[in-house]
Amino acid sequence: PPEEAAAVERDPLSFYRYWTRREAYLKAIGLGLRGLSEPIPPDYTITGLEVPAPYAAALAISGTGYAITKFP
């Protein structure tokens, strides 16, 4: 999408944040990488997870209104 492309142009590392969110969604629906053109519907909760640099991680959950809590 254009907004993602613009963000990546401004900050190349944001590519990994966008990529991991998309990959999390595609894995959640069972399509894997062959579903790259699928839009992410609004009825999914997708959030980035805190991981050490330079890594990126994300979680996709069917449904909305979820709060993700990190435990020590």
Side-chain angles (χ1 to χ4, degrees):
E3 64 277 359
E4 290 178 10
V8 169
E9 191 172 309
R10 287 188 307 274
D11 174 17
L13 292 179
S14 67
F15 166 79
Y16 299 106
R17 291 187 293 273
Y18 284 112
W19 177 263
T20 55
R21 285 172 171 83
R22 177 158 297 281
E23 184 180 22
Y25 167 70
L26 294 173
K27 286 181 177 182
I29 63 172
L31 284 182
L33 297 180
R34 63 175 190 248
L36 280 175
S37 62
E38 293 291 317
I40 298 174
D43 61 338
Y44 265 78
T45 298
I46 301 177
T47 188
L49 303 175
E50 289 183 35
V51 294
Y55 302 102
L59 176 67
I61 305 168
S62 178
T64 60
Y66 291 100
I68 308 302
T69 304
K70 178 182 172 185
F71 291 98

